[in-house]
Every structure is written in structure tokens, then in C-alpha cells.
């Protein structure tokens, strides 16, 4: 694949992680344009080489269904030759060189051994009805790439509103991950996961490196081209967290710690935890 652009999703709240991600991208030598889908109207000043990317027909469609704002990522599926990356990532190698020669839809995560977070009960039934090895087609919605456009706008709207897809693609009140997985799966593009054979790239998830990371990265091919802090925060407890902090100044690091890490010290009450579990269980059940 010859990449043409990098796409992310952001607002003012995640400006600091965005800064680290953007600086790491440029540090690899990648000068591709960085398109930023606005999570909401709370924008911030972007660096040179970046621009806000608003697909108004998709925004209007999602807003009409009161869809979760992270589903604005669906705009990627109308594009081609892109790498989507969440702001809680930093690049290790250039995505241009990492994806050179690849075709189709490219994943770089290990959700094949932890697939439940990529599915709802409805969409899992659809996956399992088509293949017994459906786990190899799931991916983390915070990072993916594709060399082709999978949808036109009217096709996307028709698919999203169709039963039984709608409950996963539009009605999920939590996030976009099951919806994106289902939308890609329904189009059946050539699917590659770089952490599986024949590539065997090491994990892109920071949480897989509890002690250290360098012994796993024995060659350029084995070294992940980015690291993703999905479901966790770079807080300094892991050695790999330093790779994130290397791209922030001392004042930015302090601001990041005050904004993101102080919040984690406030415990969530057990009653609230139980309510969240009950809500998830109730929604994620086939009627």
C-alpha cells in the first residue's frame, strides 16, 4: 500500500496525547498529511501538516441517530490509502515503510486472542455464521489501515440502518469498535493482521510489556511500528511509557499528569461499577 494520509479523532481534551502522537509520526520521517476528525466542537490549533476533517453527510447521519461520537471514525471507510491511529499512540517506525507492499485492510493488534471487546451478541452471531475462524478478522478500532474505499455514503447509511446490523453499528451507546468491526467484515476485503503469520510482528499494545520491551524487538520486522495505550494510560509504571513521555516537554508532561493521572486516583464506587456492568449486559444480549 502506498499511504496517502494519516487519520485520527480528537478534541481539546486529548490535545496533549495528540501532540505526542503527531511528534512521534514526524520523528519517523513521515510527512504525510494528518487529518483530524473532530470528536465534537471543542477543537484546538493544529500543527503544520494537519487539518480538521469533517464529512458533513456522515456527521448529519450519525447525529440524526444520536450515535456515539466515536462513530465519526466511520468516515474512514469512505477513504482509501490511509492509516487511522488513535491519539493514545506513538509511532516507532514510519507507517509508510511498515505498510509498503500490503494490500486490503490491515490490522496490527492482538484482538484475535481477545475478541470479545470487538463484538456484540448480534454481530458475533453474524461473524460465526460465516466462518469458524472469525477471530482472525477482528481488530482494535484505535488503529487500522486500508488501501481502498469500502463504502459510498448511501451504502454506509443503508447498511447501518439495516436490521440486525443497526443495534451494533448505530445504537451501541458505548463506542464504535463493534460497529467498525462489523462494517469491515460485511465487505470482506482482503484482511491482514501483522501480528499473525507470516509477519509475526510483536504486540502493539503497551499493556503486553509489563517489565520491558526491547528483548522482544529483535529485528525491524518484529518491532511494532507504533504502540497503543488502549484501555490504559501512560503513567510511568511501565518502562514502555517513557516512549510516550519522550515526546512531551517537562511542562507538557506535568500538564498531562494533572489532567489524566490525577483523575485515576478517584475511585469509582462499587454501586456505579455494578450499574455499568448491568447496563452492558442488558444491551449486549440478543432479545
Amino acid at each position: 500500500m502506498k499511504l496517502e494520509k494519516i487519520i485520527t479523532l480528537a478534541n481539546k481534551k486529548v490535545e496533549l496525547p495528540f501532540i505526542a502522537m503527531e511528534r512521534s509520526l514526524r520523528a519517523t520521517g513521515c510527512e504525510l498529511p494528518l487529518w483530524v476528525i473532530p470528536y465534537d466542537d471543542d477543537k484546538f490549533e493544529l500543527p503544520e501538516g494537519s487539518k480538521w476533517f469533517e464529512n458533513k453527510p456522515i456527521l448529519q447521519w450519525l447525529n440524526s441517530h444520536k450515535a456515539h461520537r466515536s462513530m465519526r471514525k466511520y468516515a474512514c471507510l469512505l477513504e482509501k490509502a490511509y492509516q487511522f491511529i488513535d491519539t493514545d499512540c506513538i509511532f516507532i517506525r514510519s507507517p509508510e515503510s511498515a505498510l509498503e507492499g500490503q494490500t486490503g485492510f490491515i490490522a496490527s493488534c492482538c484482538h484475535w486472542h481477545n475478541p470479545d471487546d470487538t463484538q456484540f451478541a448480534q454481530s458475533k452471531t453474524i461473524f460465526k455464521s460465516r466462518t469458524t475462524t472469525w477471530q482472525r478478522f477482528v481488530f482494535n478500532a484505535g488503529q487500522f489501515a486500508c488501501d481502498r474505499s469500502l463504502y459510498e455514503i448511501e451504502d454506509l447509511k443503508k447498511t447501518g440502518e439495516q436490521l440486525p446490523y443497526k443495534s451494533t453499528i448505530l445504537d451501541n451507546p458505548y463506542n464504535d469498535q463493534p460497529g467498525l468491526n462489523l462494517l469491515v467484515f460485511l465487505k470482506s476485503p482482503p484482511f491482514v493482521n501483522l501480528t499473525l503469520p507470516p509477519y509475526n510482528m510483536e504486540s502493539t499494545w503497551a499493556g503486553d510489556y509489563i517489565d520491558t520491551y526491547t528483548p522482544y524487538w529483535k529485528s525491524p520486522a518484529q518491532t511494532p511500528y507504533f504502540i497503543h495505550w488502549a484501555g490504559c494510560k501512560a503513567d510511568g509504571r511501565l518502562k514502555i511509557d517513557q516512549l510516550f513521555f519522550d515526546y512531551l516537554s517537562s511542562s507538557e508532561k506535568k500538564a498531562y499528569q494533572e489532567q489524566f493521572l490525577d483523575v485515576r486516583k478517584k475511585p469509582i464506587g462499587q454501586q456505579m461499577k455494578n450499574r455499568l456492568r448491568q447496563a452492558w449486559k442488558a444491551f449486549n444480549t440478543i432479545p
Side-chain angles (χ1 to χ4, degrees):
M1 179 193 325
K2 183 174 176 58
L3 276 183
E4 296 177 358
K5 52 189 168 289
I6 311 297
I7 307 178
T8 191
L9 175 80
N11 65 359
K12 179 67 176 179
K13 182 178 179 180
V14 296
E15 182 179 8
L16 287 168
F18 170 88
I19 288 172
M21 183 274 289
E22 189 271 343
R23 288 174 181 169
S24 72
L25 174 68
R26 301 313 182 199
T28 68
C30 179
E31 297 298 329
L32 291 175
L34 177 55
W35 293 10
V36 186
I37 301 170
Y39 182 82
D40 53 29
D41 294 331
D42 193 15
K43 299 178 183 178
F44 57 95
E45 185 176 352
L46 296 174
E48 184 178 354
S50 303
K51 71 172 186 178
W52 292 105
F53 167 45
E54 297 183 78
N55 186 310
K56 291 186 177 180
I58 287 185
L59 292 180
Q60 292 169 356
W61 174 59
L62 293 173
N63 289 339
S64 71
H65 287 278
K66 297 181 173 58
H68 195 279
R69 288 172 181 171
S70 63
M71 293 176 181
R72 295 180 175 199
K73 292 180 191 176
Y74 293 170
C76 295
L77 303 181
L78 279 65
E79 300 296 326
K80 64 180 180 65
Y82 65 86
Q83 163 82 60
F84 179 86
I85 193 82
D86 266 350
T87 57
D88 56 348
C89 299
I90 57 101
F91 284 95
I92 306 294
R93 298 187 284 127
S94 170
E96 292 179 277
S97 59
L99 299 177
E100 187 177 7
Q102 298 295 341
T103 58
F105 190 91
I106 315 299
S108 305
C109 64
C110 295
H111 266 296
W112 45 265
H113 69 62
N114 180 28
D116 287 345
D117 288 342
T118 66
Q119 303 294 308
F120 273 160
Q122 290 277 12
S123 59
K124 186 175 182 179
T125 298
I126 295 167
F127 273 66
K128 293 178 71 175
S129 71
R130 299 193 182 187
T131 173
T132 58
T133 59
W134 58 271
Q135 296 91 338
R136 63 194 171 98
F137 294 112
V138 303
F139 62 95
N140 187 289
Q143 42 94 352
F144 53 91
C146 195
D147 66 352
R148 65 200 69 187
S149 171
L150 297 183
Y151 286 88
E152 298 291 339
I153 180 62
E154 293 305 318
D155 184 22
L156 178 63
K157 291 164 68 174
K158 181 180 178 180
T159 303
E161 294 172 2
Q162 182 177 339
L163 299 177
Y165 308 149
K166 185 174 182 289
S167 62
T168 299
I169 296 171
L170 288 173
D171 296 340
N172 170 12
Y174 301 104
N175 58 49
D176 61 299
Q177 186 154 281
L180 268 171
N181 271 262
L182 180 56
L183 283 165
V184 173
F185 185 73
L186 290 172
K187 286 299 184 181
S188 301
F191 192 100
V192 173
N193 190 316
L194 296 179
T195 67
L196 290 173
Y199 308 101
N200 301 313
M201 186 177 73
E202 291 293 338
S203 176
T204 56
W205 185 47
D208 278 330
Y209 300 97
I210 301 300
D211 297 317
T212 187
Y213 57 93
T214 50
Y216 299 103
W217 300 352
K218 298 176 182 178
S219 69
Q222 288 177 293
T223 302
Y225 67 101
F226 63 86
I227 292 295
H228 190 187
W229 279 264
C232 58
K233 289 286 188 296
D235 58 13
R237 289 182 292 182
L238 302 179
K239 290 183 179 179
I240 202 167
D241 292 346
Q242 188 57 45
L243 297 180
F244 170 82
F245 290 121
D246 283 346
Y247 290 101
L248 296 179
S249 67
S250 57
S251 60
E252 290 167 341
K253 181 178 178 181
K254 182 179 179 181
Y256 170 86
Q257 291 170 330
E258 291 175 350
Q259 180 181 351
F260 292 100
L261 304 188
D262 287 353
V263 173
R264 299 184 66 197
K265 297 176 183 178
K266 300 177 182 178
I268 300 177
Q270 189 60 46
Q271 185 177 19
M272 179 59 72
K273 288 182 180 180
N274 291 337
R275 287 179 181 175
L276 290 171
R277 291 193 188 101
Q278 290 169 3
W280 174 270
K281 184 177 179 180
F283 186 84
N284 191 19
T285 301
I286 298 178

